[in-house]
Amino acid sequence: MAIEANEISEIFSPALNEEYTSRFQCLVKKIGDVFPNYRELLIKQEISTTESCTPENDFEGLKYISALRVLYDLTQQGWSLEVQNNTELYLTMLTENSNSKDYIRNRLSTERKAQFKVDSTLRFINYMERVKVYHDREISIKNLIGSKEALIEAINNNQRVVDPYIQLVTHSIDEHTGYRDIDIWRYFRYTWSIPYKTMPGRNLFYLVRDRAQEFHPVIGIFALGNAVLNLTVRDNEIGWTVDAIRSTLERKASKEISTQEVSQTNGKKVTSKRTRYLETEEEHIARITAYSQKIMEVLLGNLKNAINDIYVRDLGYHRGTKYPSEEKINELKRLYEELREQAIDNKKTAKVTDWEDETKKILFKKKRAFELAKLLDAMRWFNHFKCDSYIKWLDNMIKNEQGRKAINVALVANRKTKIGSNMMEIIVCGAIPPYNELLGGKLVSILACSPIVIRDYTEKYKNKVSEIASRMKGKRVIRDSRLAFLGTTSLYSIGSSQYNRIKVPINDEFTLQFKKMGITEGYGTVYFSKETTDAMMRILELQDGGRRINNVFGEGTSPRFRLISRGLSTLGIKADAFLKHYSPRVVYSIELATNTNEFLLGYTDELNYSFDITSNDDVNKKTQGLIEYWYERWMSKRLHTVDIIQRLQAFTPESIMLSYTR
């Protein structure tokens, strides 16, 4: 099949038994015989027909239904169906569309609309939009949408246009409207183009509101959630990869390219490349000598700390072992495989009273055996390459595959503790119209990194028991919960205007800045419907004799991703191909302290903020300073760079209310 340069093509051939393979081939032939706009209807009809006559325990029938649901979801994501030779079904996608905002919104629209078909969601929207009486006044969610008339009046009278403040969302009642704070946040979150899904783990939700108007309408919303465990562009930037270490060992240099016209050649030009070193050989050797010792000591410390955080009494390992044997490592691997087969239908313990008892359960004994084997194997290779020179020690490991794997295990051991406690992701961030016209998105982005947020996070989690770490160690573990780093990713390949050029000084020594770290296409599951994931869960239950994915601590990260990835593999469908976004996104980082990178690498336990986190006055003052900087740097200038009055006049509250737009 001929493929265009800007086109991706993947065969769709699920692994079905003879009966359902025959039915699928019949469907493929029908798809090839009809016009493209009828193809999705054929798939839906086949799903409906098959479901009506398939028993709930018919594994092969359910596999066929799941495969059809996956196929239908993919057609909603922008994949086109092409039939070759009347029997082969190919899915194609034009990558040139990946830069189109409308195209990406359209890919998200099917699942977004699906959430509004759920009865509980419809009841919620009706509750928020219908008029109620609160403090003798008629109130609805409309009162929390900014008044364009009030904004225009303030602009025309040269008054302060907005007076923003940040509000941590709880289940408390809003004094101005009588709604719960969390319901206000939830309502406006539904206006996003990305479907709303609850996020497990650590999270914080915020409203940014305008006290300049009655009812304090919502300028924007944001939320922090767990940081992504593996993100190559971020990990390279921080120094958490073998490639980053290798790069640090190289002599600092800049590449210069020059073009020169060659005489007597009628203007012919030649290009030459030149390397200009930024340090002498002596400076280079001195730097990497110090670096090699420091990084090797940190890596070994990471391994030792990780081993010490594992309960080992029932694993046959003695903590005093300096040189772990290959036999012991293989014994742990065999134990892991035995326990993995037994880890079915895991249940979450509602309230743990005995962490040692908890860690001995099959799920965590399995996890401990796996982790310990991996750490001991890494330690074995560190011992294998050890020599008197730290530079040679590190260099020899980097040149060897097993050595690189051992270094990566040591890096991950540190990375996991930092990601779970000291890093968060901005998972929701944006302005609510009409404040978007006043660059409210930039304000919300800035406030997501504010001293108030850092303090709130520290206060909320400083005494929080780490569920997984405690289950792994067999005793109560409380991780350091000072927030050092925030990351976020744009929805579009061109980046995000609300993040671009954000550089806000907090004091003379520190500037808050959104830095572009790179581009990632990434993987995700937001495009797959609930019906599809439910179908996959059922076939995996039948295949495994129970549930291996139960959304409980210890099974692994991203249960939805693991479910769909395993489900696709069970169906014989390429998971890598169809879980990939195919829409490049810009990855941003925000360092929250002057020594964030040194802290994340494990060079220091200190974290130096540009404010006094123990002083509420200083926290509030510095946060207000960010608001004022936004007001003068962006909002005030906005009043003169566009026809702001005309834009505000064009706004209607109904344009964002869910009963009108869904």
Side-chain angles (χ1 to χ4, degrees), residues 197-255:
K197 296 183 184 298
T198 57
M199 300 289 289
R202 296 188 175 196
N203 48 60
L204 291 172
F205 303 91
Y206 285 90
L207 297 167
V208 179
R209 302 180 68 170
D210 182 10
R211 63 166 62 89
Q213 291 192 27
E214 188 180 20
F215 303 111
H216 293 201
V218 177
I219 296 173
I221 64 173
F222 68 90
L224 306 186
N226 290 338
V228 179
L229 189 59
N230 297 302
L231 188 59
T232 302
V233 291
R234 177 202 65 196
D235 297 343
N236 280 335
E237 183 76 14
I238 292 172
W240 278 343
T241 64
V242 176
D243 285 342
I245 292 176
R246 185 189 286 117
S247 177
T248 304
L249 290 172
E250 294 175 354
R251 188 175 172 186
K252 293 181 180 178
S254 65
K255 305 291 183 181

Side-chain angles (χ1 to χ4, degrees), residues 262-277:
V262 182
S263 61
Q264 300 180 348
T265 60
N266 294 324
K268 184 179 179 181
K269 296 179 180 180
V270 295
T271 300
S272 61
K273 298 178 181 179
R274 175 174 173 265
T275 299
R276 185 169 68 88
Y277 290 107

Side-chain angles (χ1 to χ4, degrees), residues 90-118:
Y90 284 86
L91 273 66
T92 61
M93 179 181 288
L94 293 176
T95 56
E96 64 184 11
N97 291 330
S98 63
N99 293 328
S100 167
K101 290 185 177 182
D102 289 339
Y103 172 73
I104 293 172
R105 288 190 183 116
N106 184 61
R107 289 185 68 190
L108 294 163
S109 64
T110 301
E111 185 63 9
R112 181 179 183 272
K113 291 175 182 176
Q115 68 189 348
F116 298 127
K117 296 177 182 178
V118 178

Side-chain angles (χ1 to χ4, degrees), residues 307-313 317-322 473:
I307 291 170
N308 287 335
D309 281 341
I310 296 176
Y311 182 90
V312 297
R313 291 179 190 172
Y317 170 75
H318 189 272
R319 290 199 182 279
T321 305
K322 290 185 178 180
K473 195 165 186 175

Side-chain angles (χ1 to χ4, degrees), residues 9 162 177 186 298 402 443 467 513 622 652:
S9 182
V162 291
T177 62
R186 179 187 172 194
V298 166
Q402 294 299 332
L443 171 66
E467 299 275 357
Q513 183 177 2
K622 291 292 196 304
T652 61

Side-chain angles (χ1 to χ4, degrees), residues 272-331:
S272 61
K273 298 178 181 179
R274 175 174 173 265
T275 299
R276 185 169 68 88
Y277 290 107
L278 305 177
E279 58 184 352
T280 65
E281 283 191 33
E282 292 78 11
E283 289 171 337
H284 175 228
I285 292 171
R287 178 177 62 80
I288 66 172
T289 298
Y291 171 75
S292 297
Q293 179 173 351
K294 181 163 66 172
I295 194 66
M296 289 301 281
E297 289 174 349
V298 166
L299 292 174
L300 285 168
N302 293 346
L303 291 176
K304 291 174 182 176
N305 290 337
I307 291 170
N308 287 335
D309 281 341
I310 296 176
Y311 182 90
V312 297
R313 291 179 190 172
D314 56 350
L315 298 179
Y317 170 75
H318 189 272
R319 290 199 182 279
T321 305
K322 290 185 178 180
Y323 301 99
S325 68
E326 187 174 4
E327 291 76 15
K328 182 59 193 175
I329 293 165
N330 289 334
E331 181 184 320

